Amino acid sequence: MIHVENLVKRYGKLVALDHFNLDVKDGEIFGLLGPNGSGKTTAINCILSLLTYDKGEITLFGKPMSPTNYESKRKIGVVPQNVAVFNELTVYENIDYFCSLYVPDKAKRKPLVEEAIAFAGLSDYRKFLPKKLSGGLLRRLNIACGIAHKPDLIFLDEPTVAVDPQSRNNILEGIKALNASGTTVVYTSHYMEEVEQLCSRIMIMDKGRAIATGTKEELTALIHTGEKLTVEADGLPLSVLEQIRNLPDVLRADYAEGHLKADCKGYGHPVIDVLDLLRQSGVHFGQVYSEPPTLNDVFLEITGKQLRD
Amino acid sequence: MKVFKASLLILRRRAAQVAVYFFMFTAMFIIIASFTSQQVATDFSAVRPSFTVVNRDQDTPLTDGLLEFLRERGTERVFPDEKKALQDATFFHATEYILIIPEGFDQSVWSGSPLSLEAVSVPGTGKSYYLDSLANQYWNFVNVYHKANPSLSRADISEMALEALSMETSVEMVRFSDSRPIGELYESYNRVQSYILIVLTLLCVTSITMSFRRPDLHMRNLCAPITTRQKNLGLFLYCALVGFIVWLLTTAVGFFVSLPTLQGADGRLVALLFLNSFLYTLTALSIAMLLNYFISNPNTQNAIVNFLGLALSFLGGAFVPLEFLSEGLRAVSRFTPVYWYSEAVSDICRLTVLNKESLAPVWRSFAMELAFAIAILCLALAVGKSKNKAEKSFGSIRTEIEM
Ligand SMILES: Nc1ncnc2c1ncn2[C@@H]1O[C@H](COP(=O)(O)OP(=O)(O)OP(=O)(O)O)[C@@H](O)[C@H]1O
Ligand SMILES: [Mg+2]
């Protein structure tokens, strides 16, 4: 559905996209995950032909994308990162206007607009002007304006920034429902939990480059870090910590504020070994928990920095 | 069509702002109008000068005729024929004109070699000349009729002279009103109309373009499958409609408020004034097209609209007649469309005959207004082109960094 090859985009000297490649298949929810300034928005804007680019090929629906490819544009919905609605138009009028650009027939449009209002949970606000809406409601209006015409392909650029957790869950559920009805979704975010929860495939971006692509499992399998173990332990002697670090399945271990943290290797399960060691050394321990690796770990390991700095 | 409809919706939300301008302007004008109409009335009575006739000859039908003639046009003040009394009368402006008929005057007229009349006028008022010329006209007619037909009695001659004079003055009256075929009130409205026209047009047009040019909205519109041409067509239709409505409203207000002063005015002149303001609306529209590239928020909008409206209208003599502006300002003024608009207003309001020659300056002003409209529109298109090129990279869109 989307095919991007060797895309290069420069803003003056800054290389915002550096030989960027992307393939999105029909019917998936594709996540673009990356820290601020990694080039997610730039990538989307290039794909939509809103920006000119220096090099590369972009194909949408099997056809080269261009600013005048109205046939493709008709099948696309865009939810931009910044709320882009008319301040002078009410909620209903805004959705109706943007929908009318795709669906000129008024009779056909009306149910679509109503559906979008229901989807975004804006039924009580249809006559409100945007300045009367809270930040979260504005975001929802922004989404409704982008999806009312039932596109086959939707780009959502950080749609949940500044939305309260409950609305966020509603939005994510809504996106899943859209996808279930056959819509392909490209979703950008720097919240990895969101991407993990929502997306069938994920691309991790940094500095304009795709550093890894795959399902969540595929991505976490890419790295050396496996399970992450935390043990509540009082007065852990340095010698014991050293012994733990030397266990074959432990990648690294640290002790701070009464908590022992140990990252395990790939598919190793050193929990028993660690706890045995502690007991033998006479260290008392409390709660023990273990987490699977996250996309943050993937990002951390590949780039050497946190996803959210 | 979508863009057109959305534009109208947006305008509706901003209608209050536009309406405030319009109603304030209208109210101001109505107040001014009621002022000037009062002034016209007092002016008219002041035009009747006071006069005194001192007859040292006997009263004859001829002198009676003169008195009757002067009384129709002035107010008689009677003073005794004493040097002191007459001096005081002129000194205190109790009378503005004293005509002294010397002894034997009647006889001298009858014999064909009239004695000269003695007249005292109060210095500094033009009205005494008016009376002086009236008296001279009367005696001239008397002379002519007597010479032409010596058998006529004094009473007959006096009557004939008065009749002839009334005909002459009635002709003169028509000519007098002819030299101001359009009342002063309507003329001044037309001058000030240039201000409200430009303010309202600029407000209405830039309110819409301001929204559509917001980078994020512009981008969203670009995502949609409508061509730039469709979008521009919508905006163009909107501008045309708004320009027409603004023109129609302001023209109608001026016309109906000034209607009492327009009785008997030549409809063709009024039509020319309509055409003039219409042409100026076109100029205002193209100015709006140009300015929309520089107006991005309501603050700059208000500042620019008010400044431009006032500056242009001032230069065009909407508030202060052009004659009172300094040479330098007048020279600058020539390079503004509003100058030609004002010129056209002045010319049209003074047209007594409509022919090729008298209309030539009016057509020239019209052509200048149109030329300005076209030139500014071309400039606007050029600016638009270069701005669009720069926008290709959306330099103004910075993704906000939020956590
Ligand atoms: N119009 C512009 N002119 C110059 N540089 C730009 C412009 N827009 C973006 N950039 C730069 O390009 C890089 C990529 O920006 P982009 O907006 O694509 O990042 P992003 O991944 O969307 O970030 P965010 O999470 O903040 O939305 C950043 O370094 C940014 O500063
Ligand atoms: Mg972004």
Side-chain angles (χ1 to χ4, degrees):
Chain A
M1 181 153 280
I2 305 176
H3 177 72
V4 179
E5 222 174 285
N6 280 325
L7 187 59
V8 177
K9 166 75 191 172
R10 292 193 193 91
Y11 292 113
K13 275 191 180 155
L14 183 125
V15 184
L17 289 176
D18 184 5
H19 295 274
F20 176 81
N21 293 300
L22 176 73
D23 268 294
V24 176
K25 296 192 196 79
D26 221 339
E28 65 182 349
I29 303 185
F30 191 88
L32 276 176
L33 180 66
N36 288 132
S38 54
K40 306 180 293 289
T41 303
T42 305
I44 289 190
N45 287 348
C46 285
I47 293 172
L48 291 169
S49 272
L50 296 175
L51 286 174
T52 53
Y53 41 90
D54 300 274
K55 213 179 110 182
E57 267 166 49
I58 296 170
T59 319
L60 285 187
F61 304 104
K63 295 197 184 75
M65 185 59 184
S66 74
T68 52
N69 188 344
Y70 299 112
E71 197 190 324
S72 293
K73 283 186 175 183
R74 193 171 295 283
K75 294 187 274 187
I76 299 175
V78 181
V79 178
Q81 181 168 4
N82 301 332
V83 174
V85 294
F86 286 95
N87 293 331
E88 297 86 354
L89 301 185
T90 62
V91 166
Y92 186 93
E93 288 162 351
N94 261 304
I95 302 175
D96 188 57
Y97 168 72
F98 287 111
C99 190
S100 75
L101 299 179
Y102 299 82
V103 187
D105 184 352
K106 198 168 180 177
K108 273 193 206 148
R109 192 165 71 234
K110 204 160 187 284
L112 291 176
V113 175
E114 288 301 336
E115 215 174 305
I117 287 179
F119 174 85
L122 288 167
S123 313
D124 297 339
Y125 306 97
R126 56 182 79 216
K127 290 230 167 92
F128 278 50
L129 288 176
K131 64 168 179 279
K132 296 250 171 77
L133 297 180
S134 69
L137 289 173
L138 260 183
R139 289 262 151 207
R140 292 201 239 158
L141 171 60
N142 196 33
I143 296 174
C145 289
I147 57 137
H149 58 284
K150 293 232 151 109
D152 297 335
L153 171 62
I154 301 181
F155 291 88
L156 293 131
D157 196 354
E158 312 211 19
T160 56
V161 172
V163 176
D164 62 85
Q166 183 164 0
S167 305
R168 175 181 301 205
N169 278 336
N170 286 344
I171 291 174
L172 295 186
E173 289 309 314
I175 293 170
K176 276 185 193 156
L178 280 177
N179 177 250
S181 67
T183 314
T184 310
V185 177
V186 175
Y187 187 95
T188 83
S189 179
H190 52 247
Y191 296 120
M192 57 169 192
E193 302 87 355
E194 235 173 64
V195 175
E196 279 179 9
Q197 182 190 338
L198 187 69
C199 300
S200 46
R201 270 194 331 133
I202 299 158
M203 171 184 279
I204 301 182
M205 287 185 72
D206 187 42
K207 293 187 184 149
R209 266 171 308 164
I211 56 176
T213 312
T215 61
K216 188 194 165 197
E217 289 73 27
E218 285 166 355
L219 288 175
T220 47
L222 276 180
I223 56 171
H224 302 296
T225 318
E227 233 177 325
K228 298 201 308 176
L229 190 63
T230 309
V231 183
E232 222 179 327
D234 280 335
L236 185 78
L238 213 61
S239 58
V240 180
L241 182 61
E242 210 48 51
Q243 275 179 296
I244 292 174
R245 280 185 181 150
N246 287 334
L247 286 172
D249 279 346
V250 172
L251 201 60
R252 53 188 162 253
D254 274 305
Y255 180 71
E257 291 163 9
H259 287 270
L260 167 71
K261 286 198 162 131
D263 291 350
C264 313
K265 279 186 191 161
Y267 291 103
H269 292 288
V271 187
I272 308 291
D273 299 344
V274 171
L275 295 184
D276 274 349
L277 233 168
L278 289 178
R279 197 158 17 169
Q280 282 161 22
S281 325
V283 177
H284 294 285
F285 57 88
Q287 262 186 319
V288 177
Y289 31 88
S290 156
E291 293 168 292
T294 63
L295 294 175
N296 191 32
D297 299 307
V298 179
F299 191 77
L300 178 71
E301 198 167 315
I302 299 179
T303 66
K305 60 184 186 195
Q306 296 279 341
L307 195 51
R308 292 201 233 161
D309 278 324
Chain B
M1 226 45 210
K2 315 298 159 207
V3 174
F4 175 69
K5 274 189 193 155
S7 304
L8 288 183
L9 273 177
I10 294 173
L11 181 67
R12 228 174 56 194
R13 296 283 138 67
R14 296 190 155 251
Q17 188 193 8
V18 176
V20 164
Y21 273 96
F22 181 69
F23 284 118
M24 272 191 9
F25 176 79
T26 308
M28 226 167 66
F29 178 66
I30 290 176
I31 292 169
I32 292 174
S34 61
F35 256 116
T36 31
S37 63
Q38 276 166 9
Q39 242 172 9
V40 165
T42 50
D43 265 356
F44 181 66
S45 64
V47 152
R48 290 180 64 88
S50 55
F51 69 93
T52 305
V53 175
V54 175
N55 193 355
R56 292 181 180 155
D57 206 16
Q58 77 251 55
D59 286 343
T60 67
L62 289 182
T63 54
D64 287 349
L66 175 69
L67 271 176
E68 188 186 322
F69 179 54
L70 290 182
R71 276 178 195 143
E72 272 171 25
R73 281 158 185 82
T75 317
E76 191 183 4
R77 299 273 152 77
V78 183
F79 293 101
D81 185 9
E82 289 160 18
K83 199 172 179 200
K84 183 88 175 55
L86 293 177
Q87 268 175 353
D88 282 353
T90 53
F91 184 79
F92 292 110
H93 286 228
T95 181
E96 288 166 298
Y97 174 71
I98 302 174
L99 182 69
I100 298 171
I101 302 174
E103 226 182 302
F105 183 74
D106 182 79
Q107 198 49 52
S108 72
V109 171
W110 217 240
S111 63
S113 51
L115 292 167
S116 62
L117 289 161
E118 203 178 321
V120 179
S121 52
V122 177
T125 70
K127 291 165 193 160
S128 52
Y129 293 108
Y130 169 58
L131 287 171
D132 207 31
S133 83
L134 287 183
N136 279 330
Q137 280 175 27
Y138 175 80
W139 289 118
N140 283 340
F141 271 108
V142 169
N143 245 331
V144 169
Y145 283 126
H146 178 61
K147 278 203 179 121
N149 200 345
S151 63
L152 287 174
S153 74
R154 283 179 167 84
D156 286 341
I157 286 179
S158 159
E159 202 171 306
M160 283 165 70
L162 285 180
E163 199 172 317
L165 281 167
S166 75
M167 262 166 59
E168 163 136 324
T169 41
S170 76
V171 169
E172 212 179 16
M173 293 278 277
V174 172
R175 235 201 257 136
F176 181 69
S177 73
D178 237 359
S179 69
R180 284 199 70 84
I182 296 286
E184 202 167 335
L185 181 69
Y186 194 52
E187 182 180 342
S188 53
Y189 180 83
N190 267 279
R191 274 178 210 289
V192 205
Q193 193 185 3
S194 70
Y195 167 73
I196 195 68
L197 264 181
I198 201 148
V199 166
L200 289 184
T201 316
L202 284 183
L203 269 184
C204 292
V205 170
T206 55
S207 290
I208 304 309
T209 54
M210 203 164 69
S211 289
F212 276 95
R213 294 179 48 73
R214 249 175 61 191
D216 49 349
L217 279 178
H218 181 50
M219 223 160 118
R220 195 162 213 167
N221 279 309
L222 279 182
C223 291
I226 70 163
T227 61
T228 318
R229 180 176 298 193
Q230 282 173 306
K231 195 181 123 189
N232 287 346
L233 185 70
L235 288 177
F236 177 80
L237 274 180
Y238 167 81
C239 290
L241 183 72
V242 154
F244 183 71
I245 290 176
V246 165
W247 171 76
L248 199 67
L249 269 181
T250 55
T251 303
V253 163
F255 181 73
F256 287 114
V257 173
S258 317
L259 199 54
T261 70
L262 285 177
Q263 303 295 332
D266 191 337
R268 288 173 299 177
L269 296 189
V270 177
L272 277 176
L273 285 173
F274 285 178
L275 182 58
N276 189 34
S277 52
F278 185 76
L279 286 175
Y280 191 65
T281 312
L282 295 185
T283 317
L285 276 176
S286 59
I287 294 178
M289 302 272 187
L290 177 61
L291 282 185
N292 92 72
Y293 293 107
F294 305 99
I295 292 180
S296 53
N297 65 57
N299 292 337
T300 46
Q301 183 196 30
N302 271 325
I304 292 185
V305 167
N306 282 318
F307 172 75
L308 211 78
L310 287 174
L312 272 185
S313 311
F314 176 73
L315 279 178
F319 310 121
V320 183
L322 279 176
E323 297 82 57
F324 293 140
L325 297 184
S326 73
E327 266 308 310
L329 274 180
R330 258 199 307 208
V332 174
S333 153
R334 282 175 167 275
F335 293 99
T336 63
V338 72
Y339 173 86
W340 301 99
Y341 171 80
S342 286
E343 280 285 296
V345 171
S346 308
D347 290 344
I348 294 168
C349 290
R350 277 164 192 73
L351 278 179
T352 49
V353 274
L354 295 184
N355 59 32
K356 222 172 152 189
E357 277 125 58
S358 68
L359 281 174
V362 175
W363 296 141
R364 192 190 55 182
S365 296
F366 283 4
M368 286 303 288
E369 285 174 60
L370 211 60
F372 264 105
I374 293 170
I376 298 172
L377 188 69
C378 290
L379 189 62
L381 291 177
V383 170
K385 257 216 163 101
S386 73
K387 283 244 171 188
N388 263 343
K389 244 183 217 149
E391 243 166 40
K392 271 276 186 283
S393 66
F394 280 101
S396 49
I397 292 209
R398 279 245 162 207
T399 45
E400 47 193 58
I401 298 198
E402 269 181 301
M403 283 301 291

